[in-house]
Amino acid sequence: MIPILDSKRQYATIGSEVEKAVCEVLRSGSYILGANCKALEQELADFIGCKYTVGLNSGTDALHLALRALNIGAGDEVITVAFTFVATTEAIGIVGAKPVFVDIDEDTFNLDASKLEAAITPRTKAIIPVHLYGQPCDMDVIMDVAKRHNLHVIEDCCQAIGALYKGKMVGTFGDFGCLSFYPTKNLGGMGDGGLIMTNDEKLRDRVIALRNHGGAIRYHHDEIGVNSRLDEIQAAILRVKLPHIKDWNEARRKHAYYYNELFADCKDVQTPKELDDTYCVYHQYTIKIPNRDAVHKMLQERGIGAMLYYPIPLHLQKVHEYLGVGRGSLPVSEKNTDMVISLPMFPELTEEEQRTVAKTVKECIELSKSAAAV
Ligand SMILES: *Cc1c(COP(=O)(O)O)cnc(C)c1O
């Protein structure tokens, strides 16, 4: 059995520190928005290289409150991709705005910036580029289009903490960057958590008010907010983990390049391509293969943890039926959806396991071909 992610292996390396930090919180009597949250916000701002961060309940809330802080709501359109996790468009829906989909680039799986301008209408207020699988979007082009059309940019960095575009961290290009600390993310808590990054003090203050019932001063409420505070236990755990994120991301990259080598002799496997001058953090290692569904089933039967991110593109989900964006509208997103498969990827993965994964993937592809021929 080689799982797609084995959180227990990471815990074995930092568990005693985590337990100590959690016990300190338990004994402190301060459980929400205390010293650990404040310290984590500062440490993450330093790591990312942005002025401010605000700790929240989830990555979904980070996206949702970023939109709220920019006053985006009913009647507005927000451009994003259909090849992402549903939280990206859910946040747009929560504020009452409408998602408008742009197709993705065949090789990077990210928003095809050359198609961006055609999707802009007088109602467009913002763009949400998603740095999927830990690969940065083409931010120069996206920011250029945004500036020329006076649009806000909210970067969905939930899968991409620490990724660099031309030497600069993702999350620092737009008005906001959004992080998730869901346990499977590159920097994951042991529960839910999220955070916004921004260089704009006013936007930071607005999110601080929105996360705590719409008021910066206790029991003074200026608008409808939410309860989206990062709890102290999660913040303390994340503070134990943050100093390791660079090494963990490095290990993921090393694994990705080793997989690339292992698949180099297999014409059927399309390995991930990177944009020039980017530092990808491989939240997922995702390849494209023929007979994907058959191969996926065979890998599962052989104990290889392979997953489909994501099995249905968002424009074809029931929740978005009302948009009337049918099959065929986003051909690259649809094609990639049918071909992608993500393989085991986590810092503690061993080279021996990678060799087993690659060998099994190649065998299953051959098997699927003979099955298809019958
Ligand atoms: C995980 C994720 C989110 C949402 O994060 P949660 O913390 O689970 O709410 C949003 N967008 C993307 C691309 C994600 O991977």
Side-chain angles (χ1 to χ4, degrees), residues 57-61 63 84-88 130-132 156-159 179-182 185 192-194 283 310:
N57 236 321
S58 68
T60 310
D61 274 352
L63 291 160
T84 176
F85 181 55
V86 71
T88 313
V130 182
H131 307 295
L132 200 73
D156 184 338
C157 306
C158 290
Q159 301 190 0
L179 286 180
S180 163
F181 303 127
Y182 186 74
K185 303 288 157 98
D192 277 309
H283 175 60
Y310 294 90

Side-chain angles (χ1 to χ4, degrees), residues 7-18 240 244 248 348:
S7 305
K8 284 188 197 155
R9 286 193 220 175
Q10 187 177 83
Y11 195 73
T13 68
I14 54 164
S16 58
E17 256 186 291
V18 167
V240 171
H244 299 280
W248 288 338
E348 301 78 14

Side-chain angles (χ1 to χ4, degrees), residues 103-121:
D103 213 351
I104 55 167
D105 175 77
E106 177 88 46
D107 293 325
T108 65
F109 304 108
N110 279 332
L111 191 148
D112 183 344
S114 72
K115 297 191 176 133
L116 200 48
E117 223 148 0
I120 296 170
T121 76

Side-chain angles (χ1 to χ4, degrees), residues 68-214:
R68 278 285 311 271
L70 293 167
N71 296 315
I72 293 167
D76 297 334
E77 292 178 357
V78 178
I79 298 174
T80 191
V81 286
F83 196 79
T84 176
F85 181 55
V86 71
T88 313
T89 53
E90 194 171 36
I92 299 168
I94 288 171
V95 301
K98 184 177 131 179
V100 172
F101 297 118
V102 165
D103 213 351
I104 55 167
D105 175 77
E106 177 88 46
D107 293 325
T108 65
F109 304 108
N110 279 332
L111 191 148
D112 183 344
S114 72
K115 297 191 176 133
L116 200 48
E117 223 148 0
I120 296 170
T121 76
R123 291 169 181 269
T124 309
K125 289 282 152 53
I127 307 165
I128 305 187
V130 182
H131 307 295
L132 200 73
Y133 306 148
Q135 152 114 275
C137 294
D138 199 349
M139 291 313 294
D140 276 353
V141 183
I142 293 169
M143 293 310 296
D144 175 59
V145 172
K147 283 207 178 82
R148 279 190 287 110
H149 294 268
N150 207 10
L151 304 175
H152 295 296
V153 173
I154 300 169
E155 296 173 70
D156 184 338
C157 306
C158 290
Q159 301 190 0
I161 184 168
L164 302 172
Y165 176 86
K166 299 193 178 171
K168 202 170 155 219
M169 288 255 178
V170 299
T172 61
F173 291 85
D175 301 83
F176 280 111
C178 301
L179 286 180
S180 163
F181 303 127
Y182 186 74
T184 62
K185 303 288 157 98
N186 288 25
L187 179 66
M190 290 164 188
D192 277 309
L195 174 137
I196 59 95
M197 316 172 246
T198 185
N199 286 317
D200 186 314
E201 190 178 1
K202 283 209 178 78
L203 291 177
R204 189 266 319 250
D205 290 345
R206 187 84 190 281
V207 175
I208 285 178
L210 286 168
R211 80 169 164 185
N212 203 6
H213 305 294

